[in-house]
Amino acid sequence: MFYLTSDITIGEYTKVKPSKVTWKTDVNSFTDTCTIELPRITYLKTEKTVTQDGQEPNERKEYVFKENDKISISLGYDGKNTKRFEGFIKRVNMAIPVQIECEGYSYLLYDVIFNKSYSTVTVKQLLTDLCAGTQIVLSADMPNIPLTNVRFKNATGIQVLEWLKKEVRLAVYFNFNELYVGTLFGSKGKTVKFKLGWNTVKEDDFKKRLVDKNVRVVIQEKNSQGEVKRSKSDEQKYSNEQLLKIKAGIPADLLKQIANRLQTKSNYNGYEGNITAFLEPAVNKGDIAQIDGYKYPEKSGSFFIESVSGEFGTRGGRQTIQLGFLTSN
C-alpha cells in the first residue's frame, strides 16, 4: 500500500501538514496558482496588546502565516515527494478550515514599477532589467528576440508580461522561479509514460478534435511609416485566414515561428483533452506524455502537456493533465 506524503515549507515553518492542497500550472498563463487548506487551530498564535490604563492586556488570535511568505510544496508517496508548486502567499482567508491562496513567481512583479524606453532592445535584456533585484531567473532556452521603439511608463511588471503576450504574441510562462518568453514554447521537458486504464484514473475527456475548416494564421505588422507587412504560417490547405496584429520590428523568421505556433494550436485535429492520473508519475507543463492507448490504440502517441492541475488531501492525490497537439519528436 502507498501512503500519501508531503514536504511543505511556509516561511520559517517546515513540515506543515495540510488538510488539502490544490494547484494549477499552464504554459498558456504566466500565473501559477495554489490553495492550501489548514486546520484553523493548529497554526494560531496569541498576540497580547498592552493597554495604557493598566487594565489586563487584550489577547488576539493571529495566524502564523502571512502575505508574502515564501512557500514550497512537494507531494508524493512514501516520502518520495516531487515539487509541485513554489511561490508566495497572496492572501490568508480566516475561514474554517483556513485557506491560504498562493501565486507563483509572477507575484514578485506586481510591486515592480517599470519606467524604461529603448530604441532597440532584446526581449532577454528587457526582462533582465525588469527582474533585477527579484528572485526570478531567466531561462537559458530563451531565444534572442529583438524589439524596436519600446516604451514603458509606470507599468507594473505584470503589465510588461501581458504586453509581451498580447502585443508581441509571445509564449510567456514560469517554471517555478524560471521565466521563459519565446516565439515557441520552451525546450520540451521529460517524457512520461501513461497507459490508459492502467496508470490513469479517468480519460473520458481525451477525445479526437474535429476541425471543420482549416485556418491559416497571418501575422500583420504596421511600422511607423504606415507600411504594412504580413507573415503567413506554413499552412498550405486552408479555408480562410485569421489576421493577428503584432508590434512592428520583429524579424521575418521569428514572425514565421510565432505564426506557426499559433497555427499548430488552431488546426490540430488529433486527440486532445484531459486525463486524470495518480500523483505518480509526476508531470509538469512542457513535459511530453507518451500515451499507450491499450484498448484504444488510436489514442496512442506523444502529446504536449499544456497544463497540470492537482489535488492532494484526505480523499487521495490526483493530477489532471491537459494534453495538447501531437509533438514531432
Side-chain angles (χ1 to χ4, degrees), residues 7-239:
D7 186 1
I8 299 177
T9 299
I10 305 178
E12 61 185 26
Y13 293 86
T14 60
K15 305 298 181 182
V16 175
K17 297 301 180 184
S19 302
K20 183 179 179 181
V21 178
T22 58
W23 72 95
K24 183 173 183 180
T25 178
D26 190 333
V27 295
N28 298 300
S29 172
F30 52 75
T31 303
D32 297 334
T33 59
C34 175
T35 299
I36 306 172
E37 294 184 3
L38 297 168
R40 181 179 175 87
I41 196 171
T42 305
Y43 296 99
L44 280 176
K45 65 179 180 179
T46 301
E47 290 286 342
K48 292 186 177 181
T49 304
V50 179
T51 61
Q52 296 180 353
D53 55 8
Q55 298 292 326
E56 288 294 323
N58 296 323
E59 291 188 352
R60 183 177 62 185
K61 298 290 187 181
E62 288 187 350
Y63 218 54
V64 298
F65 306 127
K66 58 188 181 302
E67 292 180 10
N68 301 324
D69 279 352
K70 191 173 181 178
I71 181 168
S72 178
I73 298 176
S74 296
L75 307 170
Y77 300 101
D78 300 335
K80 298 178 180 179
N81 302 318
T82 302
K83 185 188 292 186
R84 314 286 173 156
F85 178 85
E86 189 173 83
F88 303 86
I89 293 179
K90 187 174 184 179
R91 186 179 297 109
V92 178
N93 297 319
M94 297 296 289
I96 301 177
V98 172
Q99 290 187 336
I100 299 179
E101 298 178 22
C102 309
E103 185 174 326
Y105 277 79
S106 57
Y107 180 78
L108 297 178
L109 296 176
Y110 285 99
D111 293 331
V112 173
I113 303 301
F114 198 60
N115 289 287
K116 286 277 190 178
S117 295
Y118 308 90
S119 57
T120 60
V121 68
T122 63
V123 169
K124 184 175 291 187
Q125 183 58 55
L126 169 64
L127 294 173
T128 298
D129 295 342
L130 178 70
C131 298
T134 72
Q135 301 172 46
I136 297 169
V137 299
L138 302 184
S139 171
D141 296 324
M142 191 179 298
N144 190 40
I145 305 171
L147 300 173
T148 59
N149 299 321
V150 177
R151 294 178 178 82
F152 293 102
K153 183 177 181 181
N154 295 329
T156 66
I158 291 295
Q159 288 173 327
V160 175
L161 295 189
E162 289 175 343
W163 181 84
L164 288 168
K165 186 173 181 179
K166 295 179 180 179
E167 300 298 326
V168 195
R169 304 283 180 175
L170 297 176
V172 182
Y173 60 92
F174 282 88
N175 277 317
F176 302 120
N177 70 323
E178 184 180 273
L179 174 60
Y180 174 83
V181 178
T183 54
L184 306 172
F185 292 120
S187 60
K188 305 300 186 293
K190 63 183 180 297
T191 297
V192 185
K193 295 182 179 181
F194 289 99
K195 186 175 182 179
L196 301 185
W198 185 262
N199 65 342
T200 62
V201 179
K202 181 182 177 183
E203 55 278 335
D204 296 349
D205 295 328
F206 185 47
K207 302 176 181 179
K208 188 174 178 62
R209 182 185 183 193
L210 299 178
V211 179
D212 295 330
K213 296 181 179 180
N214 276 4
V215 175
R216 180 163 73 173
V217 171
V218 179
I219 300 291
Q220 176 179 294
E221 58 174 328
K222 185 177 181 180
N223 63 23
S224 57
Q225 286 75 43
E227 298 170 336
V228 175
K229 182 173 68 175
R230 294 185 175 186
S231 298
K232 301 177 180 180
S233 71
D234 291 328
E235 181 69 27
Q236 298 299 319
K237 297 180 180 180
Y238 59 95
S239 303

Side-chain angles (χ1 to χ4, degrees), residues 230-269:
R230 294 185 175 186
S231 298
K232 301 177 180 180
S233 71
D234 291 328
E235 181 69 27
Q236 298 299 319
K237 297 180 180 180
Y238 59 95
S239 303
N240 49 52
E241 294 183 337
Q242 180 183 8
L243 187 64
L244 299 175
K245 295 182 180 180
I246 197 170
K247 178 176 173 54
I250 300 175
D253 59 330
L254 299 181
L255 287 175
K256 177 75 75 172
Q257 291 179 14
I258 294 172
N260 282 335
R261 184 187 93 239
L262 300 173
Q263 184 72 66
T264 301
K265 178 78 173 174
S266 176
N267 287 357
Y268 171 64
N269 62 359

